[in-house]
Amino acid sequence: MNYPFDPFRDVASLQLAVADSFCELAEQAVKQNGVFRVSLSGGSTPRRVYEMLSERQLPWDQIHWFWGDERNVPHDHADSNFRMVHTALLSKADIPAANIHAVPVNVDAPAEAAEQYEQTLRDHFDEPFPAWDLMLLGMGDDAHTASLFPGTLALGEQNRWFVENWVPKFDGFRYTLTFPAIESARNIWLMTAGKAKQQALKQVLLGEPDSNRYPSQRIKPTRWFVDAAACGA
Ligand code: 6PG
């Protein structure tokens, strides 16, 4: 495939490259601006990256951790993205609690929780959209990213930064950044690994434009982190 990047040999080398690049970018941002604000992805691909970061020397006091999406479950639930990051990284490194900005999940009132988190983001970023130093994203085998799933309402949101999103295939709500709140990041890294992502990646990069069906088509990553298996190599 003539994709606009060189694939990584395997997922382990992809994850190491993300961890190394994260450290470089964080050091650079803190040196230049005194702060590094990152939006984290859920899923299995970044989990190992977070574990690697916990073993690095980073300017922990100057890094602020946000979530690009979250499941509508308590933070101690096995499906929670907060729990995943807390287990892999936040519980292991010397990170100030004030720098950890978890989605205030409210299982019974997801709209309220989304509004609260949007206010948290607006407390940290200026208008019109959040200027993240780094947006970490994955891509599902249905070409979703964050919790912007095919055919869901959140895909069309152009004003709000963070919303609750009803996802029929889960018969439940997710929380997610909207496209404009993703696209405003200075650096957008999209991580995709594994054979199961081949078709989605091909549609996203080479298919007919249809971001309702393939939401990741809307994303313009500044860097792609993709392994050979996802490229069909
Ligand atoms: C989530 C993620 C989601 C993820 C993709 C890919 O909450 O699950 O934010 O968008 O990035 O589903 O997940 P994998 O890395 O597990 O393939």
Side-chain angles (χ1 to χ4, degrees):
M1 296 292 175
N2 58 336
Y3 289 157
F5 48 74
D6 293 327
F8 289 90
R9 181 179 62 255
D10 52 32
V11 64
S13 50
L14 179 161
Q15 291 161 328
L16 179 59
V18 175
D20 290 346
S21 302
F22 183 105
C23 293
E24 284 168 31
L25 190 62
E27 293 288 353
Q28 178 190 351
V30 167
K31 193 176 294 180
Q32 284 173 0
N33 310 315
V35 69
F36 181 65
R37 295 176 293 191
V38 55
S39 173
L40 300 171
S41 169
S44 57
T45 309
R47 183 183 299 121
R48 180 69 193 119
V49 174
Y50 303 146
E51 289 168 352
M52 289 177 186
L53 292 178
S54 73
E55 296 157 3
R56 303 293 180 91
Q57 292 304 315
L58 279 164
W60 301 113
D61 289 350
Q62 284 79 37
I63 300 178
H64 283 258
W65 310 85
F66 300 84
W67 276 256
D69 72 317
E70 184 53 282
R71 289 82 182 279
N72 194 30
V73 293
H75 284 163
D76 60 0
H77 190 283
D79 292 343
S80 165
N81 285 340
F82 170 81
R83 182 176 185 267
M84 182 271 282
V85 180
H86 185 267
T87 304
L89 170 58
L90 305 179
S91 59
K92 296 175 184 171
D94 189 15
I95 298 173
N99 292 18
I100 299 170
H101 309 287
V103 177
V105 170
N106 182 334
V107 177
D108 299 323
E112 280 178 33
E115 281 171 24
Q116 281 177 35
Y117 202 57
E118 170 136 354
Q119 190 51 59
T120 297
L121 297 179
R122 289 179 184 274
D123 291 344
H124 283 268
F125 296 97
D126 299 328
E127 301 287 337
F129 289 104
W132 310 93
D133 294 291
L134 176 58
M135 173 65 55
L136 283 178
L137 294 172
M139 186 184 76
D141 56 12
D142 60 358
H144 82 263
T145 190
S147 280
L148 295 163
F149 285 87
T152 58
L153 270 180
L155 297 179
E157 179 57 51
Q158 292 303 309
N159 300 303
R160 291 177 61 188
W161 294 10
F162 194 81
V163 295
E164 74 285 1
N165 192 27
W166 177 259
V167 185
K169 79 174 186 180
F170 299 133
D171 191 27
F173 280 100
R174 285 282 189 97
Y175 298 96
T176 187
L177 286 172
T178 59
F179 277 123
I182 288 173
E183 292 158 354
S184 53
R186 295 190 180 101
N187 296 278
I188 301 176
W189 298 353
L190 198 141
M191 302 168 284
T192 300
K195 194 175 174 190
K197 307 294 173 73
Q198 276 182 21
Q199 281 315 309
L201 188 65
K202 190 175 173 185
Q203 286 297 345
V204 165
L205 288 171
L206 305 176
E208 283 303 304
D210 182 355
S211 59
N212 184 58
R213 192 166 169 200
Y214 307 110
S216 293
Q217 284 183 345
R218 270 283 296 267
I219 304 299
K220 302 290 175 264
T222 53
R223 288 187 70 177
W224 288 87
F225 291 86
V226 184
D227 73 350
C231 296

